[in-house]
């Protein structure tokens, strides 16, 4: 969901004030979990320590079945729970090695409290688990005869098994081997440099002690955030490397170092010899990035180049590799040191008060990799074509004899009316054959067009359409339906190279033209589509074809569908992919919008989405969604400032006439706004209706829907209402349609997709992991039930001033049922939805229920009715004081 929603703004404006709004997405949640982890670590440490002294007394009684049995007293410092937990870890677990779990839990809590990612602790977790297993086996092997479970059940079991298999000497050899293997894996020593003297020296007890001391010191001081960017070395190694680094010559351009010539402090700074180290970028591309300045240290350990911490050093780096600014050094050690690190230089502009000298920053090159929105669902796979049916066996072949017979009949009919033609040729399509004729010179086109019914009579065919002339050609077209019509399967058109290789933003495949070519259009260029036609002529199949095209071509992160279905049955199967492809209002049980009141809220919420997107485009300095997403993918926009990757949004309304009849202007106004403005920010509309009358398809709709798709209609007037031209009344039905786009009419046979095919594709998508939180639209409050603004205290005062008379009844109902549902308030108290929603908002701001969590019921913050009554009494007192004042 977009970060700049109204609810998010209200939460941010509340600042650090106490609030009852809480959810898993709240930034305070990981901090609370971190504090809980620290508490658990402390609890385990005390319980484990106590177990070392009280294990004999509690061992026989420390069972989980005794947790709530008050007859047995435990000697552990933390009571029965402490004794049972410590006995589980020590006796039934890993023995003394269980203390490592305390350390891992402590690290986890610290990282959560500090707001760091736990992914950085994965190397520590791996080392910890290996250490636990190895230490448990070692302790069990050393203390085999001791009654105290030093190695725990795990170590005892492993040692017993290995003892019977390889003996005591074999266990010792295996322990030493695993220890050496771990050290070699972590340290990767160079055995080529080893000599006998070094081997003997390393076997000295003092050297072994120092090695273990250094290992455990490094393990305890583990810092994953610097593990990949810093090279750990001892102090003596650092001194040896520092001696090999030669400093570069000083910079003598005083004009570049001082901002003012008359300033004595700047002149003094310019005259100071500043040492600049050698910079060796790996390639020319790194010149566009920042560089890290690595200062060599002198004998006192202070960084050279920082002559005065209170003065800022400004460098002119128009040419970072110029000889007069930086002179390179041939020291190979210095080269290796610089080449091993990702380097970046950050230079102050002189206005940063916290800047001291040169700031040193280290950045990972991976940060500059383009953002990939599909990684949100990396394992998602588009539906395979095998889920769709093929109709290859149903393809009829148009007989050449039939073509010749119809040609002769057309020529004969025209000759009867003394119309001569020069040439005639036929183009066979899936359902219609186009006959192109070239009339003789002097023949008027209108004379041929008036013979439409006569030609239909002579051919005994229904749905003949004459195109006079064919745009772009010097011919007249006569479209004659085939006797045996071909079924254009959706699988066939989706598998065509024209669709699979399409580089469009929103490619939709509609079917095949009369020249038997697959027709693919770009919905983003249309930019909106109006579909109309009589009942049963293929509108629903056409909508399914459009939706299936988008599902086969686009990843869930790239497109979101808003489906409105007043008939409640046509688009209902798509409810299964709500967490993948659908966008809808929060607090809804189903993603498909069916109620008129919800349709209005959805449309107005889309206008809010449109306005917010335009604000983001303005901040980003771009003009459309493609430029914005390109900037976001190249990481030129900061998500912390509200920017996010914008998916395309397609609003599909199955029966528009029903909405106009029930809601009228309330539906027409937001649709008009969206149709006029939403193209640039990636919101596109597809509206279907079976009643193409002027009161349904108004002038505002027609003006903003240049692309119109007409199936067969009853009258010529309906065809003119849709297409501004006739012809739709002469279609043959069953998916035969006319597309009006860019001032031209194109006849297309719609691709057929059956309901079982749709269900198979939806099942394939729904079985894959979707987003944990669906794409919620912003809640739109009407004039009576709009959202409250201001801080938490202001909201509570507003609740007390405008408290509904059913407020307390609704609060008791929710606490008794422990379910914060608006629909329950609506049903039980017999209220309208808007009023019930307003009461739920008041309960939220009063701290009785939690924040909105989408389709889930709100969290109830009171456990029983007694606690609620005390709180309601406090609210009554505050309200009476406000009334008295």
């Amino acid at each position: 969901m977009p970060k700049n929603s109204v609810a998010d703004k209200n939460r941010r404006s509340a600042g650090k004030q106490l609030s009852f709004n809480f959810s898993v997405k709240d930034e305070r949640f990981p901090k609370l979990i971190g504090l809980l982890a620290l508490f658990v670590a402390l609890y385990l440490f005390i319980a484990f320590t106590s177990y070392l002294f009280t294990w004999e007394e509690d061992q026989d009684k420390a069972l989980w079945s005794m947790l709530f049995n008050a007859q047995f007293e435990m000697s552990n410092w933390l009571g029965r729970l402490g004794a049972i937990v410590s006995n589980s870890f020590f006796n039934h677990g890993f023995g003394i090695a269980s203390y490592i779990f305390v350390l891992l839990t402590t690290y986890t809590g610290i990282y959560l409290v500090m707001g760091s990612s736990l992914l950085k602790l994965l190397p520590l977790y791996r080392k910890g688990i290996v250490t636990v297993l190895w230490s448990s086996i070692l302790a069990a092997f050393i203390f085999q005869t001791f009654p105290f479970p030093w190695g725990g059940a795990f170590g005892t079991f492993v040692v017993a098994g290995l003892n019977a298999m390889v003996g005591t000497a074999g266990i010792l050899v295996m322990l030493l081997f695993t220890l050496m293997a771990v050290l070699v894996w972590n340290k990767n020593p160079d055995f080529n440099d080893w000599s006998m003297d070094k081997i003997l020296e390393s076997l000295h007890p003092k050297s072994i002690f120092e090695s273990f001391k250094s290992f455990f010191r490094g393990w305890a001081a583990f810092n994953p955030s610097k593990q990949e960017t810093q090279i750990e070395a001892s102090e003596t190694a650092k001194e040896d490397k520092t001696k090999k680094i030669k400093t570069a010559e000083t910079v003598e351009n005083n004009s570049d170092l001082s901002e003012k010539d008359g300033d004595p402090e700047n002149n003094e700074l310019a005259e100071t010899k500043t040492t600049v180290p050698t910079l060796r970028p790996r390639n020319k591309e790194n010149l566009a990035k920042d560089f890290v300045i690595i200062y060599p240290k002198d004998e006192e350990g202070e960084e050279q180049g920082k002559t005065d911490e209170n003065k800022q050093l400004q460098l002119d780096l128009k040419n970072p590799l110029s000889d007069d600014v930086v002179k390179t050094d041939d020291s190979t050690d210095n080269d290796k040191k610089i080449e091993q690190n990702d380097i970046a230089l950050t230079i102050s502009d002189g206005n940063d008060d916290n800047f001291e000298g040169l700031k040193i920053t280290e950045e990972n090159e991976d940060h500059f990799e383009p953002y990939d929105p599909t990684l949100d669902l990396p394992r998602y796979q588009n539906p395979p074509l095998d889920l769709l049916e093929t109709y290859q066996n149903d393809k009829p072949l148009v007989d050449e004899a039939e073509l010749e017979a119809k040609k002769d009949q057309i020529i004969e009919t025209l000759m009867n009316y003394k119309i001569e033609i020069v040439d005639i040729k036929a183009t066979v399509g899936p359902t219609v054959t186009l006959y192109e004729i070239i009339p003789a010179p002097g023949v008027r086109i209108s004379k041929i067009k008036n013979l439409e019914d006569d030609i239909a009579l002579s051919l005994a065919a229904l749905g003949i359409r004459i195109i006079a002339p064919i745009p772009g050609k010097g011919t007249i077209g006569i479209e004659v339906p085939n006797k045996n019509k071909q079924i254009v399967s959706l699988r066939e058109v989706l598998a065509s190279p024209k669709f699979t290789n399409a580089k469009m933003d929103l490619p939709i495949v509609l079917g095949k033209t009369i020249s038997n070519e697959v027709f693919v259009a770009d919905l983003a260029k249309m930019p909106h589509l109006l579909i109309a036609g009589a009942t049963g002529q293929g509108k629903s199949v056409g909508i399914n074809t459009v939706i299936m095209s988008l599902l086969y071509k686009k990843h869930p992160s790239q497109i979101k569908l808003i489906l409105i279905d007043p008939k409640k049955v046509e688009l209902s199967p798509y409810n299964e992919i709500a967490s993948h492809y659908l966008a809808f209002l929060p607090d809804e049980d189903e993603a498909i919008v069916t109620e008129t009141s919800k349709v209005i809220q959805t449309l107005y919420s889309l206008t809010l989405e449109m306005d917010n997107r335009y604000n983001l485009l303005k901040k980003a300095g771009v003009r459309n969604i493609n430029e914005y997403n390109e900037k976001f993918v190249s990481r030129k926009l900061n998500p912390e400032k509200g920017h996010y990757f914008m998916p395309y949004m397609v609003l599909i309304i199955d029966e528009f006439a029903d909405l106009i009849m029930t809601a009228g202007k309330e539906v027409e106004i937001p649709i008009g706004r969206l149709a006029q403005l939403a193209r640039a920010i990636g919101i596109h509309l597809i509206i279907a209706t079976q009643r193409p009358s002027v009161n349904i398809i108004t002038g505002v709709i027609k003006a903003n829907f240049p692309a119109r798709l007409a199936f067969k209609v009853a009258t010529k007037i309906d065809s003119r209402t849709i297409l501004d031209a006739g012809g739709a009344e002469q279609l043959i039905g069953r998916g035969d349609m006319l597309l009006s786009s860019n001032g031209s009419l194109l006849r297309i046979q719609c691709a057929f997709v059956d309901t079982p095919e749709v269900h198979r594709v939806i099942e394939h998508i729904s079985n894959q992991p979707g987003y944990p939180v669906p794409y919620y639209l912003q809640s739109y409050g009407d004039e009576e039930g709009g959202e409250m603004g201001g801080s938490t205290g202001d909201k509570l005062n507003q609740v007390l001033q405008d408290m509904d008379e059913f407020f307390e009844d609704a609060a008791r109902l929710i606490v008794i049922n422990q379910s914060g549902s608006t629909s329950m308030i609506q049903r039980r108290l017999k209220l309208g939805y808007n009023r019930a929603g307003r009461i739920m908002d008041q309960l939220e701001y009063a701290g009785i229920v939690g924040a909105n969590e989408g389709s889930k019921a709100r969290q109830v913050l009171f456990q029983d009715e007694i606690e609620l009554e005390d709180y309601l009494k406090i609210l009554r007192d505050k309200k009476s004081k406000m009334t008295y004042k």
Side-chain angles (χ1 to χ4, degrees), residues 753-789:
V753 54
D754 203 0
T755 303
E757 302 176 60
V758 175
H759 283 290
R760 286 197 294 268
V761 173
I762 292 174
E763 183 180 3
H764 171 82
I765 298 175
S766 61
N767 288 336
Q768 301 184 63
Y771 290 99
V773 179
Y775 193 99
Y776 289 126
L777 300 174
Q778 301 181 46
S779 298
Y780 181 85
D782 55 6
E783 295 180 357
E784 297 180 355
E787 294 187 4
M788 301 180 183

Side-chain angles (χ1 to χ4, degrees), residues 70-98:
Q71 297 180 358
F72 298 93
E73 294 293 336
M74 302 292 183
S75 301
N76 194 283
W77 299 342
L78 295 180
R80 287 197 297 272
L81 182 59
I84 295 173
V85 170
S86 56
N87 185 65
S88 300
F89 274 92
F90 273 78
N91 191 24
H92 302 292
F94 303 96
I96 197 67
S98 301

Side-chain angles (χ1 to χ4, degrees), residues 564-773:
I564 297 177
D565 183 16
K567 291 190 290 188
K568 304 181 180 180
V569 293
E570 293 293 344
L571 302 179
S572 58
Y574 295 100
N575 196 44
E576 300 295 329
I577 58 174
S579 61
H580 298 79
Y581 280 101
L582 302 189
F584 51 96
L585 291 171
D587 234 352
E588 293 296 325
D589 296 334
E590 292 186 355
I592 311 298
V593 185
T594 56
E595 299 179 5
T596 304
S597 60
K598 297 298 181 184
V599 171
I600 298 173
Q601 294 183 25
T602 301
L603 293 176
Y604 277 102
S605 67
L606 267 181
T607 60
L608 289 180
E609 177 79 15
M610 176 183 69
D611 295 336
N612 290 333
R613 288 193 172 196
Y614 269 116
N615 291 333
L616 292 178
L617 261 63
K618 179 181 177 182
K619 293 179 182 179
V622 296
R623 299 180 60 185
N624 54 56
I625 186 174
N626 289 331
E627 296 177 3
Y628 179 89
N629 283 339
E630 183 178 353
K631 251 189 171 182
F632 189 86
V633 167
S634 58
R635 299 186 184 274
K636 296 179 181 178
L637 299 176
N638 189 359
E640 295 181 357
K641 295 183 179 180
H643 294 288
Y644 61 97
F645 183 83
M646 290 185 186
Y648 283 93
M649 305 185 75
V650 180
L651 170 66
I652 300 177
I653 302 177
D654 183 38
E655 187 48 66
F656 183 63
D658 182 73
L659 298 179
I660 293 295
M661 293 174 61
T662 55
K665 291 292 183 182
E666 292 182 283
V667 171
E668 186 178 353
I669 291 175
I671 287 182
R673 282 203 66 205
L674 292 170
Q676 292 172 6
L677 303 175
R679 170 184 179 178
I681 43 85
I683 298 179
H684 304 278
L685 282 63
I686 299 177
I687 295 177
T689 179
Q690 63 180 0
R691 186 180 172 186
S693 56
V694 292
N695 62 332
I696 303 299
I697 305 177
T698 61
V700 176
I701 300 297
K702 292 181 66 175
N704 293 285
F705 283 77
R708 304 168 202 165
L709 199 61
F711 290 86
K712 181 177 176 58
V713 294
T715 64
K716 198 168 188 176
I717 297 176
D718 292 340
S719 177
R720 292 188 178 276
T721 303
I722 305 169
L723 303 174
D724 292 330
E729 76 281 0
Q730 296 173 333
L731 299 176
I732 60 176
R734 298 188 64 184
D736 192 15
M737 58 187 181
L738 287 174
L739 175 63
S740 173
S741 179
N742 298 323
S744 62
L745 284 178
L746 182 64
R747 192 167 185 174
I748 303 172
Q749 177 62 39
C750 182
F752 178 73
V753 54
D754 203 0
T755 303
E757 302 176 60
V758 175
H759 283 290
R760 286 197 294 268
V761 173
I762 292 174
E763 183 180 3
H764 171 82
I765 298 175
S766 61
N767 288 336
Q768 301 184 63
Y771 290 99
V773 179

Side-chain angles (χ1 to χ4, degrees), residues 716-884:
K716 198 168 188 176
I717 297 176
D718 292 340
S719 177
R720 292 188 178 276
T721 303
I722 305 169
L723 303 174
D724 292 330
E729 76 281 0
Q730 296 173 333
L731 299 176
I732 60 176
R734 298 188 64 184
D736 192 15
M737 58 187 181
L738 287 174
L739 175 63
S740 173
S741 179
N742 298 323
S744 62
L745 284 178
L746 182 64
R747 192 167 185 174
I748 303 172
Q749 177 62 39
C750 182
F752 178 73
V753 54
D754 203 0
T755 303
E757 302 176 60
V758 175
H759 283 290
R760 286 197 294 268
V761 173
I762 292 174
E763 183 180 3
H764 171 82
I765 298 175
S766 61
N767 288 336
Q768 301 184 63
Y771 290 99
V773 179
Y775 193 99
Y776 289 126
L777 300 174
Q778 301 181 46
S779 298
Y780 181 85
D782 55 6
E783 295 180 357
E784 297 180 355
E787 294 187 4
M788 301 180 183
S791 62
T792 306
D794 296 336
K795 294 175 183 177
L796 182 58
N797 292 333
Q798 189 173 350
V799 169
L800 296 177
Q801 292 176 358
D802 303 331
M803 184 179 292
D804 193 279
E805 60 178 330
F806 287 98
F807 175 84
E808 294 187 3
D809 295 335
R812 295 187 185 95
L813 179 65
I814 285 177
V815 173
I816 292 175
N817 292 275
Q818 286 295 303
S819 176
S821 173
T822 304
S823 59
M824 183 178 68
I825 297 177
Q826 183 181 3
R827 293 193 311 270
R828 298 287 184 89
L829 301 181
K830 299 180 180 180
L831 303 175
Y833 183 83
N834 290 335
R835 188 175 183 182
R838 186 167 57 250
I839 293 175
M840 182 60 72
D841 290 338
Q842 293 180 354
L843 293 173
E844 176 186 349
Y845 298 131
I848 297 177
V849 297
N852 181 25
E853 298 182 8
S855 59
K856 297 181 180 179
R858 295 175 184 249
Q859 181 182 4
V860 182
L861 303 179
F862 287 83
Q863 301 297 326
D864 51 41
E865 195 173 0
I866 299 176
E867 184 181 1
L868 174 65
E869 291 297 335
D870 295 337
Y871 182 67
L872 292 178
K873 183 179 179 181
I874 296 174
L875 294 181
R876 293 191 207 102
D877 294 340
K878 288 185 178 181
K879 183 177 181 180
S880 61
K881 291 180 181 179
M882 293 175 61
T883 306
Y884 177 75

Side-chain angles (χ1 to χ4, degrees), residues 67 69 312 363 375 435 537 636 664 739 757 779 798 853:
L67 180 60
N69 194 339
Q312 297 178 357
E363 297 183 2
L375 293 181
Y435 294 89
Q537 301 304 319
K636 296 179 181 178
L739 175 63
E757 302 176 60
S779 298
Q798 189 173 350
E853 298 182 8

Side-chain angles (χ1 to χ4, degrees), residues 231 233 236-246 333-334 337 340:
I231 300 176
T236 56
K238 287 183 179 180
E239 292 177 359
D240 294 338
K241 288 185 179 181
T242 305
K243 292 178 181 180
K244 294 180 181 180
I245 298 177
K246 297 180 180 180
D333 293 333
N334 193 21
K337 182 173 182 179
Q340 285 175 351

